[in-house]
Amino acid sequence: EVQMVESGGGLVTPGGSLRLSCAGSGFTFNDHSMNWVRQAPGKGLEWVSSISSYSNDKYYADSVRGRFTISRDNAKNSVYLQMNSLRVEDTAVYYCARDPRVFGDLLYGMDVWGQGTTVTVSS
Amino acid sequence: NFMLTQPHSVSESPGKTVTISCTRSTGNIVSYYVQWYQQRPGSSPTNVIYEDNRRPSGVPYRFSGSIDSSSNSAFLTISGLKTEDEADYFCQSYDLSHVVFGGGTKLTVL
């Protein structure tokens, strides 16, 4: 079964940092680009960042560029989101989601999503 | 960046058919695939349509997707509505540097 499990969420004060992790299983991890998508309480989905199979290409939403960094470790079947200079408006459930294509280029969409990890930024 | 605009909510009776629209603000809707996701309360999103009109395995035939270039819009149609279809639905597309989600449509089946 294809599965993504996120971890690393928690409560952090404004200006602080947090590192999210997402472990993939049930598929050949390094064949697929990966995405982070967030959802603020009671709001819609917002794309955050994407990374290609071998980290050659990284993309960011304007709202997080310069503050968040996406990375992956294919040996550990994991993708990460380093979040710095956190703001109250970054409060959300953060989902990890797979690009279903094998070695797909550019951006696309998602098929399997994790259960999400909650990030709360508050003083 | 472009935007995808969806109606905030729609409602219909069980057994009926409903169509949810998703209009792209700039750029041609046919140039980049559109995906649709269903999200029930308290759950993660699941993909119900990919590449404009293709159904993932396990998604009922009642779900279909289409594209209309004249209105620069994508559509999700659900026929034979069931109470279990009540959920939020999000369209999603992309360009060379961004992925964009529509604001979501709350479907009520009453």
Side-chain angles (χ1 to χ4, degrees), chain B residues 1-78:
Chain B
N1 295 344
F2 68 97
M3 294 192 306
L4 295 172
T5 301
Q6 301 180 233
H8 183 70
S9 62
V10 295
S11 61
E12 190 51 270
S13 304
K16 299 292 189 178
T17 297
V18 70
T19 297
I20 299 171
S21 62
C22 170
T23 301
R24 183 168 177 140
S25 60
T26 58
N28 199 328
I29 192 76
V30 303
S31 296
Y32 301 96
Y33 288 124
V34 175
Q35 280 63 241
W36 289 90
Y37 304 92
Q38 176 193 69
Q39 187 179 33
R40 295 190 173 104
S43 297
S44 302
T46 61
N47 185 223
V48 292
I49 293 289
Y50 69 102
E51 294 185 358
D52 300 341
N53 54 19
R54 302 181 71 174
R55 259 184 323 272
S57 60
V59 173
Y61 287 106
R62 303 185 295 105
F63 289 78
S64 62
S66 61
I67 297 288
D68 177 44
S69 57
S70 66
S71 60
N72 216 37
S73 299
F75 300 92
L76 173 68
T77 299
I78 310 172

